[in-house]
Amino acid sequence: MLPIQQFIHEFSSAEEFSAVVGSTNWELDFRQLSRGQGEMPTRLIHGKSSQWMKVQSSALVHQRAIPPKGHVTIGLMDNPEAGAKFGPHQLEWNELALFAPEAGMDCISASGFSAYSLSFPEPRLKAMAQNLGLICPGDNPAQATYRESLPEDIARLRWWLAQFNKVMFTGNDKHRINALAAAESDFPVLLLETWNRGESASPEHGNNRRRALHRALDYIEANPHEAIGVEQLCQAAACSISTLERSFGEHFGISPKRYLVAIRLSAVRRQLLEPEQSRTIGDIAADRGFWHMSKFAQDYRTMFGEKPSETRATFLARL
């Protein structure tokens, strides 16, 4: 009998999603960028050696992740109205995205985003591809790769994933065991066929705004505890304020100033979600450059739809 491990949860934010799911074989750093309650319903299924996950989000989220090591992980969208952008590449409805463990995943997902990820052991998938005379995704894993699939192929893949999820969460034990056994054997074949019948969808080449954005983000990452201003960011990115505004607007859909505030608030929220965290909310906020506690509390509530104290109390109550 195949082991079945299922997990379904209604996360209240991208940060809570990172805190909980990041303790599995995924390394996650999700940051909410838009204001308001940002629920993330998640379904995670572990089979004997493979893994399937469905994630939804009601907020604009900066998703950064390292998929399970030793696995080939593929993602595909499940809502045509809310997509995801990987650098300059807008993931299209009929595309598959390969997330190599060496490069990870870095994307901006829109409000209403819904997507599947499928992870299969790399040796098994490579052997299967060789036996079928097909190319295995990940043979060139230096960076994320995008594959434009035939509409009928990817529609079939989505249909089977939807049916699989339905059975796994509503069916009886016998149906669930059978569905999992079929998924372990049939899904890799279906994925390989879909991948091989498609064509490479190469990302666009970079430009000056893209390079400026990378310099700005590198500077932000290198100074996580500093309250960086827009002028300071322009200097670090070696660009004008107009270039910085356009680069952030194109990539994130928000201004540099709003992004800077959002990631600082996100960092505070992640620390509030640490079960062993004993420091005061004020001390945690101060570590991220906040000095006016009333303004911080107001910004936090505007961003996440709840007070910082409510975040801590609600999360601890679930443990």
Side-chain angles (χ1 to χ4, degrees):
M1 184 177 295
L2 289 172
I4 301 176
Q5 298 180 34
Q6 297 185 74
F7 174 84
I8 181 168
H9 194 81
E10 297 277 342
F11 295 108
S12 63
S13 67
E15 289 73 22
E16 185 183 354
F17 173 80
S18 294
V20 177
V21 180
S23 63
T24 66
N25 53 359
W26 281 81
E27 296 179 29
L28 300 173
D29 181 9
F30 280 32
R31 304 173 180 184
Q32 181 175 319
L33 299 181
S34 58
R35 296 168 179 168
Q37 197 78 23
E39 294 88 356
M40 292 195 74
T42 301
R43 291 179 173 182
L44 178 63
I45 303 169
H46 282 281
K48 184 178 181 180
S49 58
S50 306
Q51 177 180 299
W52 301 265
M53 181 161 57
K54 184 173 183 180
V55 176
Q56 299 167 269
S57 175
S58 63
L60 178 71
V61 175
H62 185 186
Q63 301 186 20
R64 298 194 301 182
I66 301 295
K69 291 179 171 58
H71 287 65
V72 174
T73 299
I74 298 289
L76 71 157
M77 296 190 298
D78 194 44
N79 180 6
E81 304 300 323
K85 193 174 184 181
F86 295 79
H89 184 81
Q90 181 71 44
L91 191 66
E92 299 296 336
W93 179 239
N94 290 323
E95 287 180 8
L96 296 172
L98 168 66
F99 308 130
E102 295 82 357
M105 177 192 76
D106 190 328
C107 79
I108 308 299
S109 59
S111 174
F113 174 79
S114 178
Y116 294 103
S117 70
L118 300 82
S119 299
F120 300 103
E122 185 176 15
R124 178 167 171 263
L125 198 64
K126 283 183 177 293
M128 184 176 289
Q130 184 175 7
N131 292 337
L132 295 170
L134 299 173
I135 296 173
C136 181
D139 283 343
N140 183 19
Q143 58 183 358
T145 305
Y146 313 98
R147 196 81 169 175
E148 184 175 359
S149 305
L150 296 176
E152 59 269 27
D153 285 348
I154 205 157
R156 180 178 56 168
L157 181 58
R158 283 195 184 93
W159 188 87
W160 279 111
L161 283 168
Q163 300 310 306
F164 174 64
N165 273 269
K166 182 178 179 181
V167 170
M168 292 303 294
F169 289 96
T170 63
N172 59 39
D173 286 346
K174 181 62 175 177
H175 290 161
R176 288 164 55 236
I177 291 170
N178 290 343
L180 186 62
E184 291 274 9
S185 60
D186 297 343
F187 274 172
V189 176
L190 180 58
L191 180 65
L192 287 169
E193 291 176 341
T194 303
W195 183 270
N196 278 262
R197 281 160 57 87
E199 296 181 354
S200 178
S202 300
E204 302 167 14
H205 295 292
N207 54 31
N208 291 335
R209 289 196 298 276
R210 186 69 191 161
R211 288 190 287 272
L213 178 66
H214 278 304
R215 289 193 292 266
L217 295 178
D218 287 345
Y219 184 79
I220 293 170
E221 291 298 320
N223 298 277
H225 298 287
E226 187 175 347
I228 301 168
V230 174
E231 179 184 3
Q232 190 176 353
L233 201 57
C234 285
Q235 291 178 326
C239 69
S240 66
I241 181 70
S242 60
T243 297
L244 196 70
E245 292 276 354
R246 288 190 65 183
S247 64
F248 271 78
E250 290 172 351
H251 189 68
F252 295 112
I254 58 176
S255 68
K257 184 176 180 179
R258 275 192 59 185
Y259 178 82
L260 288 166
V261 173
I263 63 167
R264 288 163 61 205
L265 290 170
S266 176
V268 171
R269 188 176 182 88
R270 288 199 302 275
Q271 287 195 272
L272 293 177
L273 293 171
E274 293 177 1
E276 306 302 322
Q277 182 61 252
S278 60
R279 295 192 304 152
T280 67
I281 293 172
D283 285 345
I284 294 172
D287 275 354
R288 297 295 171 173
F290 294 103
W291 60 274
H292 194 297
M293 290 300 103
S294 295
K295 183 64 165 61
F296 156 73
Q298 179 183 352
D299 288 344
Y300 189 96
R301 189 167 187 173
T302 299
M303 187 72 184
F304 300 114
E306 63 186 16
K307 299 176 182 177
S309 57
E310 291 173 332
T311 296
R312 171 173 276 177
T314 301
F315 183 69
L316 291 177
R318 291 177 177 174
L319 298 178

